[in-house]
């Protein structure tokens, strides 16, 4: 038993346990007494604890380490109530009580920490109604000022007086240091984050290269080959932001820019399809039928027919291959139109 107490004492003294107040230590002892069954009504059973310690350690050992016990002063040998901020017991007695109640230094240290937290929480003074109101105003008015400063980074105190007189007035009187610090706070500078190239970029670029000719086919209800329609060749759309799109999908972006269709080429492609359909239906190819059947302005038909020198009567007799007729014009997909001014 003597060795057990010595090891416990050594373990406790080696630990960096912060100073413990008598109230914490007393409460810790009392709580553990109740857990161990040393109770008397609703209180700690001091007599039961003393009897248990006597039984465990024996009179001879207790008399050896504690002069008061040796002199027969057993009645108040255990004192769990704080007197003038102290638990008036020698260190050896504390060690015996702690070892008997907690069995190990780990459990004793843990109990002290928990008790400190519990007492600290329970003894914290509750704020008065006035303090609650003051704190509530501070939070509310700070939020108002922070919102205004976020909306207008260059705002000064004059702006705050104008837009939020009451919060500004209250903070000037009650929280002036915070308000001044907020006004002097350096403005946030946007940090550009370098975007890495998306791993799908090369694959997406290849998909556009492979599928773009199909979009340019002369077919019913032709659609202009623009950024949106080129992206129908992809499994997913590209990011909406232009800079982000260029940074993350540079190859794909290049293909899209390269294959976009000009307005004039789209008009030509649409008109060629209309002419082929008119001839297929054995209708006369002229100003009137084009105006009725095509989305292209009829005046464009007249200019194109002249510019490309189409022999419409011959086309009507022999029939027309729309793809061949379009190719025969010799213009590129980014064609900027005929050198003739056309007013719409």
């Amino acid at each position: 038993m003597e060795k057990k107490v010595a090891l416990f004492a050594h373990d406790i003294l080696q630990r960096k346990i912060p100073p413990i107040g008598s109230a914490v230590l007393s409460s810790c002892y009392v709580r553990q007494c109740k857990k161990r069954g040393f109770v008397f009504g609703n209180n700690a059973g001091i007599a039961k604890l003393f009897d248990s310690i006597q039984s465990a350690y024996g009179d001879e050992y207790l008399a050896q380490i504690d002069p008061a016990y040796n002199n027969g002063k057993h009645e108040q040998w255990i004192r769990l109530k704080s007197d003038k901020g102290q638990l008036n017991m020698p260190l050896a007695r504390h060690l015996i009580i702690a070892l008997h109640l907690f069995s190990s230094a780990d459990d004793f240290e843990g109990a002290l920490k928990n008790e400190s937290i519990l007492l600290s929480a329970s003894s914290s003074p509750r704020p008065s109604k006035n303090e609650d109101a003051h704190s509530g105003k501070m939070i509310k008015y700070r939020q108002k000022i922070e919102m205004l400063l976020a909306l207008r980074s260059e705002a000064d105190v004059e702006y705050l007086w104008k837009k939020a007189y009451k919060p500004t007035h209250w903070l000037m009187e009650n929280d002036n240091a915070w308000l001044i610090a907020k006004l002097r706070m350096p403005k946030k500078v946007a940090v550009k984050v370098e975007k890495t190239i998306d791993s799908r970029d090369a694959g997406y670029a290849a998909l556009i290269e492979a599928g773009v000719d199909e979009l340019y086919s002369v077919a019913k209800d032709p659609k202009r080959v623009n950024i949106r329609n080129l992206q129908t060749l992809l499994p997913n759309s590209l990011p909406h932001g232009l800079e982000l799109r260029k940074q993350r999908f540079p190859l794909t972006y290049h293909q899209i820019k390269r294959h976009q269709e000009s307005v004039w080429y789209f008009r030509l492609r649409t008109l060629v399809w209309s002419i082929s359909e008119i001839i297929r239906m054995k209708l006369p190819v002229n100003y009137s039928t084009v105006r009725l059947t095509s989305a292209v302005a009829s005046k464009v038909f007249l200019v194109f027919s002249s510019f490309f020198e189409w022999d419409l009567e011959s086309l009507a007799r022999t029939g027309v291959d729309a793809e061949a007729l379009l190719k025969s014009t010799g213009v590129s997909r980014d064609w900027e139109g005929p050198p003739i001014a056309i007013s719409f």
Side-chain angles (χ1 to χ4, degrees):
M1 185 59 68
E2 185 176 351
K3 184 178 179 181
K4 184 178 180 181
V5 175
L7 289 172
F8 178 78
H10 179 268
D11 199 355
I12 287 292
L13 295 174
Q14 293 301 310
R15 294 169 183 256
K16 295 180 179 179
I17 299 176
I20 300 295
S22 60
V24 172
L25 188 56
S26 172
S27 181
C28 190
Y29 284 157
V30 170
R31 191 181 301 277
Q32 190 66 8
C33 277
K34 292 178 179 179
K35 285 184 180 179
R36 294 285 306 276
F38 305 127
V39 293
F40 182 75
N42 293 326
N43 300 315
I46 304 299
K48 289 183 178 180
L49 175 60
F50 180 73
D51 290 342
S52 180
I53 289 175
Q54 274 187 317
S55 176
Y57 296 90
D59 287 336
E60 184 177 347
Y61 180 70
L62 292 175
Q64 179 184 338
I65 66 168
D66 193 303
Y69 188 94
N70 186 45
N71 292 330
K73 296 179 180 179
H74 301 169
E75 188 175 346
Q76 293 187 347
W77 192 76
I78 297 176
R79 303 186 185 104
L80 299 186
K81 288 186 178 180
S82 176
D83 180 26
K84 297 180 181 179
Q86 292 184 340
L87 283 181
N88 192 15
M89 293 187 294
L91 178 59
R93 202 178 303 172
H94 276 290
L95 290 172
I96 291 292
I97 293 171
L99 175 58
H100 192 67
L101 287 174
F102 297 96
S103 302
S104 73
D106 285 336
D107 289 346
F108 183 42
E109 183 181 12
L112 289 173
K113 288 180 180 178
N114 291 337
E115 202 66 40
S116 296
I117 294 170
L118 289 171
L119 284 183
S120 175
S122 63
S123 62
S124 297
R126 293 184 178 180
S128 65
K129 290 184 178 180
N130 288 337
E131 288 175 332
D132 284 340
H134 185 278
S135 177
K137 278 187 177 180
M138 180 182 291
I139 293 170
K140 178 182 176 182
Y141 290 158
R142 279 185 174 187
Q143 288 176 344
K144 176 68 175 178
I145 296 302
E146 285 177 333
M147 182 185 71
L148 290 173
L149 293 176
L151 292 173
R152 185 167 176 172
S153 58
E154 73 277 10
D156 55 14
V157 71
E158 294 300 325
Y159 177 80
L160 296 181
W161 278 116
K162 182 179 178 181
K163 293 294 183 180
Y165 175 83
K166 191 173 180 180
T168 304
H169 181 268
W170 191 92
L171 290 170
M172 288 285 280
E173 291 192 349
N174 298 279
D175 200 11
N176 189 56
W178 178 88
L179 182 61
I180 297 302
K182 275 291 177 182
L183 289 169
R184 291 177 178 173
M185 187 180 293
K187 309 307 177 188
K188 293 182 179 179
V189 179
V191 178
K192 290 185 178 180
V193 180
E194 187 176 347
K195 303 293 182 181
T196 57
I197 295 175
D198 195 290
S199 59
R200 299 169 293 176
D201 183 36
Y204 279 13
L207 287 174
I208 289 178
E209 184 67 26
V212 69
D213 287 342
E214 183 65 25
L215 294 180
Y216 274 103
S217 64
V218 183
K220 183 180 180 181
D221 191 24
K223 291 182 173 57
R224 186 181 173 193
V225 182
N226 53 21
I227 293 175
R228 184 176 64 182
N229 290 326
L230 280 165
Q231 289 187 74
T232 62
L233 299 172
L234 305 176
N236 302 101
S237 296
L238 299 181
H240 291 297
L242 177 60
E243 288 304 315
L244 186 59
R245 185 184 302 163
K246 290 165 67 175
Q247 289 170 352
R248 297 190 62 190
F249 293 88
L251 297 176
T252 310
Y253 176 77
H254 172 73
Q255 289 292 342
I256 286 175
K257 292 292 290 181
R258 176 173 167 239
H259 290 297
Q260 282 187 84
E261 184 178 26
S262 71
V263 173
W264 281 103
Y265 191 84
F266 176 59
R267 286 171 177 160
L268 174 61
R269 189 161 61 91
T270 303
L271 181 60
V272 167
W273 176 81
S274 298
I275 291 173
S276 68
E277 285 297 291
I278 291 170
I279 292 174
R280 184 183 65 80
M281 292 185 290
K282 301 186 183 305
L283 296 173
V285 184
N286 55 38
Y287 178 93
S288 298
T289 54
V290 169
R291 186 180 63 179
L292 293 172
T293 59
S294 176
V296 177
S298 51
K299 62 179 68 177
V300 172
F301 163 69
L302 297 176
V303 172
F304 280 9
S305 299
S306 173
F307 181 73
F308 293 114
E309 299 180 349
W310 287 335
D311 186 346
L312 297 176
E313 291 183 1
S314 176
L315 290 174
R317 285 195 307 270
T318 60
V320 62
D321 180 335
E323 295 287 355
L325 180 59
L326 181 62
K327 189 175 181 180
S328 70
T329 63
V331 298
S332 63
R333 292 169 175 174
D334 59 354
W335 182 47
E336 295 182 357
I340 303 169
I342 302 176
S343 58
F344 292 94

